Coordinates of all heavy atoms in Angstrom, one line a residue:
L399 N 0.8 -1.2 0.0 CA 0.1 0.0 -0.1 C 0.8 1.2 0.0 O 0.7 2.2 -0.8 CB -0.9 -0.1 1.2 CG -1.9 1.1 1.4 CD1 -3.1 1.0 0.7 CD2 -2.1 1.4 2.9
R400 N 1.9 1.3 0.9 CA 2.8 2.5 1.0 C 3.6 2.6 -0.3 O 3.9 3.8 -0.8 CB 3.6 2.4 2.2 CG 2.8 2.4 3.5 CD 2.0 3.6 3.7 NE 2.9 4.8 3.5 CZ 3.4 5.5 4.6 NH1 3.3 4.9 5.8 NH2 4.1 6.6 4.4
A401 N 4.0 1.5 -0.9 CA 4.8 1.6 -2.1 C 4.1 2.1 -3.3 O 4.6 2.7 -4.2 CB 5.3 0.1 -2.4
S402 N 2.7 2.1 -3.2 CA 1.8 2.5 -4.2 C 1.7 4.0 -4.1 O 1.0 4.7 -4.9 CB 0.4 1.8 -4.2 OG -0.3 2.4 -3.2
G403 N 2.3 4.6 -3.1 CA 2.2 6.1 -2.8 C 0.9 6.4 -1.9 O 0.7 7.7 -1.7
R404 N 0.1 5.5 -1.5 CA -1.0 5.8 -0.6 C -0.6 6.0 0.8 O 0.6 5.6 1.2 CB -2.0 4.7 -0.7 CG -2.7 4.6 -2.1 CD -3.6 3.5 -2.3 NE -4.4 3.6 -3.5 CZ -3.9 3.2 -4.7 NH1 -2.8 2.7 -4.8 NH2 -4.8 3.4 -5.7
R405 N -1.4 6.5 1.5 CA -1.1 6.9 3.0 C -1.9 5.9 3.9 O -2.9 5.3 3.4 CB -1.7 8.3 3.3 CG -1.1 9.4 2.4 CD 0.4 9.6 2.7 NE 0.8 10.9 2.1 CZ 1.9 11.5 2.7 NH1 2.5 11.1 3.6 NH2 2.2 12.8 2.1
A406 N -1.4 5.7 5.1 CA -2.0 4.9 6.0 C -2.1 5.4 7.4 O -1.2 6.1 7.8 CB -1.2 3.5 6.1
M407 N -3.3 5.2 8.0 CA -3.5 5.6 9.5 C -3.9 4.5 10.3 O -4.8 3.7 9.8 CB -4.5 6.7 9.4 CG -4.2 8.1 8.9 SD -5.5 9.2 8.6 CE -6.1 8.5 7.0
L408 N -3.4 4.3 11.5 CA -3.9 3.3 12.4 C -4.7 4.0 13.5 O -4.4 5.1 14.0 CB -2.7 2.7 13.1 CG -2.9 1.5 14.0 CD1 -3.6 0.4 13.3 CD2 -1.5 1.0 14.6
V409 N -5.9 3.5 13.6 CA -6.9 4.2 14.5 C -7.4 3.2 15.6 O -8.0 2.1 15.2 CB -8.1 4.6 13.6 CG1 -9.1 5.4 14.5 CG2 -7.7 5.3 12.4
T410 N -7.1 3.5 16.8 CA -7.3 2.5 17.9 C -7.8 3.2 19.2 O -7.6 4.3 19.4 CB -5.9 1.8 18.2 OG1 -6.1 0.9 19.3 CG2 -4.8 2.8 18.6
G411 N -8.4 2.3 19.9 CA -8.9 2.7 21.3 C -7.9 2.6 22.4 O -8.0 3.0 23.5
R412 N -6.8 1.8 22.0 CA -5.7 1.7 22.9 C -4.9 3.0 23.4 O -5.0 3.9 22.6 CB -4.6 0.6 22.3 CG -5.0 -0.7 22.2 CD -3.9 -1.5 21.8 NE -4.2 -2.9 21.6 CZ -3.6 -4.0 22.2 NH1 -2.6 -3.7 23.1 NH2 -3.9 -5.3 21.9
R413 N -4.4 2.9 24.6 CA -3.4 3.9 24.9 C -2.2 3.8 24.1 O -1.8 2.7 23.6 CB -3.0 3.8 26.4 CG -4.2 4.1 27.3 CD -3.7 3.8 28.8 NE -3.5 2.4 29.1 CZ -2.4 1.8 29.2 NH1 -1.3 2.6 29.3 NH2 -2.4 0.5 29.5
L414 N -1.5 4.9 23.8 CA -0.3 4.9 22.8 C 0.8 4.0 23.3 O 1.3 3.2 22.6 CB 0.2 6.3 22.6 CG 1.3 6.4 21.7 CD1 0.9 6.0 20.3 CD2 1.9 7.9 21.6
D415 N 1.1 4.1 24.6 CA 2.2 3.2 25.1 C 1.9 1.8 24.9 O 2.8 1.0 24.7 CB 2.7 3.6 26.5 CG 1.6 3.6 27.5 OD1 0.3 3.4 27.1 OD2 1.8 3.8 28.8
D416 N 0.6 1.5 25.2 CA 0.1 0.1 25.2 C 0.2 -0.4 23.7 O 0.8 -1.5 23.4 CB -1.2 0.0 25.7 CG -1.9 -1.4 25.6 OD1 -1.1 -2.4 25.7 OD2 -3.0 -1.6 25.2
L417 N -0.1 0.5 22.7 CA 0.0 0.1 21.2 C 1.4 -0.2 20.9 O 1.7 -1.0 20.3 CB -0.7 1.2 20.5 CG -0.6 0.9 18.9 CD1 -1.6 -0.2 18.5 CD2 -0.8 2.2 18.2
L418 N 2.2 0.9 21.2 CA 3.6 0.8 20.8 C 4.3 -0.4 21.3 O 5.3 -0.9 20.7 CB 4.4 2.0 21.2 CG 3.9 3.3 20.5 CD1 4.7 4.6 21.0 CD2 3.8 3.2 19.0
S419 N 3.9 -1.0 22.4 CA 4.4 -2.2 23.1 C 4.3 -3.5 22.3 O 4.9 -4.4 22.4 CB 4.1 -2.3 24.6 OG 2.6 -2.8 24.6
V420 N 3.1 -3.3 21.4 CA 2.7 -4.7 20.6 C 2.8 -4.5 19.2 O 2.9 -5.5 18.4 CB 1.3 -5.1 21.1 CG1 1.2 -5.5 22.5 CG2 0.2 -4.0 20.8
C421 N 2.7 -3.2 18.7 CA 2.7 -3.0 17.3 C 4.1 -2.8 16.7 O 4.8 -1.8 17.1 CB 1.8 -1.8 16.9 SG 1.7 -1.4 15.1
E422 N 4.6 -3.7 15.9 CA 6.0 -3.7 15.5 C 6.2 -3.0 14.2 O 7.3 -3.1 13.7 CB 6.5 -5.2 15.5 CG 6.5 -5.7 16.8 CD 6.8 -7.3 16.9 OE1 6.7 -7.8 15.8 OE2 7.1 -7.9 17.9
C423 N 5.1 -2.5 13.6 CA 5.3 -2.0 12.2 C 4.8 -0.5 12.3 O 4.1 -0.2 11.2 CB 4.8 -2.8 11.2 SG 3.1 -3.3 11.4
R424 N 4.8 0.2 13.3 CA 4.2 1.6 13.3 C 4.8 2.5 12.2 O 4.2 3.5 11.9 CB 4.3 2.2 14.7 CG 5.7 2.2 15.3 CD 5.7 2.6 16.7 NE 7.0 2.6 17.4 CZ 7.5 1.5 18.0 NH1 6.9 0.4 18.0 NH2 8.7 1.6 18.6
E425 N 6.1 2.2 11.7 CA 6.7 3.0 10.7 C 5.9 2.9 9.4 O 6.2 3.8 8.5 CB 8.1 2.6 10.6 CG 8.3 1.3 9.8 CD 8.1 0.0 10.7 OE1 7.9 0.1 11.9 OE2 8.2 -1.1 10.0
L426 N 5.0 2.0 9.2 CA 4.3 1.9 8.0 C 3.1 2.9 8.1 O 2.3 2.9 7.0 CB 3.8 0.5 7.8 CG 4.8 -0.5 7.5 CD1 4.3 -2.0 7.4 CD2 5.5 -0.1 6.3
F427 N 2.9 3.6 9.1 CA 1.6 4.5 9.3 C 2.1 6.0 9.2 O 3.1 6.3 9.9 CB 0.8 4.1 10.5 CG 0.3 2.7 10.5 CD1 1.0 1.7 11.0 CD2 -0.8 2.6 9.8 CE1 0.4 0.5 11.1 CE2 -1.3 1.2 9.8 CZ -0.7 0.2 10.4
D428 N 1.4 6.7 8.5 CA 1.7 8.2 8.6 C 1.3 8.8 9.9 O 2.0 9.7 10.5 CB 0.9 9.0 7.5 CG 1.4 8.5 6.1 OD1 2.5 9.1 5.6 OD2 0.8 7.7 5.5
Y429 N 0.2 8.3 10.4 CA -0.3 8.7 11.7 C -0.9 7.6 12.5 O -1.5 6.7 12.0 CB -1.2 9.9 11.7 CG -0.6 11.2 11.3 CD1 -0.7 11.7 10.0 CD2 0.1 12.0 12.3 CE1 0.0 12.9 9.6 CE2 0.7 13.2 11.9 CZ 0.6 13.6 10.6 OH 1.2 14.9 10.2
V430 N -0.8 7.6 13.8 CA -1.5 6.7 14.7 C -2.5 7.6 15.5 O -2.1 8.5 16.1 CB -0.5 6.0 15.7 CG1 -1.4 5.2 16.6 CG2 0.4 5.2 14.9
V431 N -3.8 7.2 15.3 CA -4.9 7.9 16.1 C -5.2 6.9 17.3 O -5.6 5.8 17.1 CB -6.1 8.1 15.3 CG1 -7.2 8.7 16.1 CG2 -5.8 9.1 14.1
A432 N -4.8 7.4 18.6 CA -4.9 6.4 19.7 C -6.0 7.0 20.6 O -6.5 8.1 20.4 CB -3.6 6.3 20.4
E433 N -6.2 6.2 21.8 CA -7.2 6.8 22.8 C -8.6 7.0 22.2 O -9.2 8.0 22.6 CB -6.5 7.7 23.7 CG -5.3 7.3 24.4 CD -5.0 8.2 25.6 OE1 -5.9 9.1 25.9 OE2 -4.0 8.0 26.3
N434 N -8.9 6.3 21.2 CA -10.3 6.5 20.6 C -10.5 7.8 20.0 O -11.6 8.4 20.0 CB -11.4 6.2 21.7 CG -12.6 5.5 20.9 OD1 -12.4 4.4 20.4 ND2 -13.8 6.1 20.9
G435 N -9.4 8.4 19.5 CA -9.5 9.7 18.8 C -9.0 10.8 19.6 O -8.9 12.0 19.1
A436 N -8.6 10.6 20.9 CA -8.1 11.8 21.7 C -6.7 12.2 21.5 O -6.3 13.2 21.9 CB -8.3 11.4 23.2
L437 N -5.9 11.3 20.7 CA -4.4 11.5 20.7 C -4.1 11.2 19.3 O -4.5 10.2 18.8 CB -3.7 10.7 21.7 CG -2.3 10.7 21.8 CD1 -1.9 10.2 23.2 CD2 -1.6 9.9 20.8
V438 N -3.2 12.0 18.6 CA -2.7 11.7 17.3 C -1.2 11.8 17.4 O -0.5 12.7 17.9 CB -3.1 12.8 16.2 CG1 -2.4 12.5 14.9 CG2 -4.6 12.8 16.1
Y439 N -0.5 10.7 16.9 CA 0.9 10.4 17.1 C 1.5 10.4 15.8 O 0.9 9.6 14.7 CB 1.0 9.1 17.9 CG 2.6 8.7 18.0 CD1 3.5 9.3 18.7 CD2 2.9 7.5 17.3 CE1 4.8 8.9 18.8 CE2 4.3 7.1 17.4 CZ 5.2 7.7 18.1 OH 6.5 7.3 18.1
D440 N 2.7 11.1 15.5 CA 3.4 11.1 14.2 C 4.5 10.0 14.5 O 5.5 10.4 15.2 CB 3.9 12.4 13.9 CG 4.7 12.3 12.7 OD1 5.1 11.2 12.1 OD2 4.9 13.5 11.9
P441 N 4.6 8.8 13.8 CA 5.7 7.9 14.1 C 7.0 8.4 13.7 O 8.1 7.9 14.2 CB 5.2 6.7 13.3 CG 3.8 6.8 13.2 CD 3.6 8.3 13.0
Q442 N 7.1 9.3 12.7 CA 8.3 9.8 12.3 C 9.0 10.8 13.2 O 10.2 10.5 13.7 CB 8.2 10.4 10.9 CG 7.6 9.6 9.8 CD 8.4 8.2 9.7 OE1 9.6 8.2 9.5 NE2 7.8 7.0 9.5
S443 N 8.2 11.7 13.6 CA 8.8 12.8 14.5 C 8.6 12.5 16.0 O 9.1 13.1 16.8 CB 8.0 14.1 14.2 OG 6.8 14.0 14.6
R444 N 7.7 11.4 16.2 CA 7.3 10.9 17.5 C 6.5 12.1 18.3 O 6.4 12.1 19.5 CB 8.5 10.6 18.4 CG 9.2 9.4 17.7 CD 10.2 8.8 18.7 NE 10.8 7.6 18.1 CZ 11.8 6.9 18.6 NH1 12.2 7.2 19.9 NH2 12.3 5.8 18.0
E445 N 6.0 13.1 17.5 CA 5.2 14.1 18.2 C 3.8 13.7 18.5 O 3.2 13.0 17.7 CB 5.0 15.3 17.2 CG 4.3 16.5 17.6 CD 4.2 17.6 16.6 OE1 4.8 17.5 15.5 OE2 3.5 18.6 16.9
I446 N 3.3 14.1 19.7 CA 2.0 13.8 20.2 C 1.1 15.0 20.2 O 1.6 16.0 20.9 CB 2.0 13.1 21.5 CG1 2.8 11.7 21.5 CG2 0.7 12.9 22.2 CD1 3.0 11.1 22.8

């Protein structure tokens, strides 16, 4: 999907630290929407 030039977002109800402890391919996502929409995380810059 990413090689085709498309974007990807992971959208979860999990807390961010909980997600990062189990998700081993977060670099494949442009953004992670965590805590059911309350938090947006950039895996590249690690900005929350």
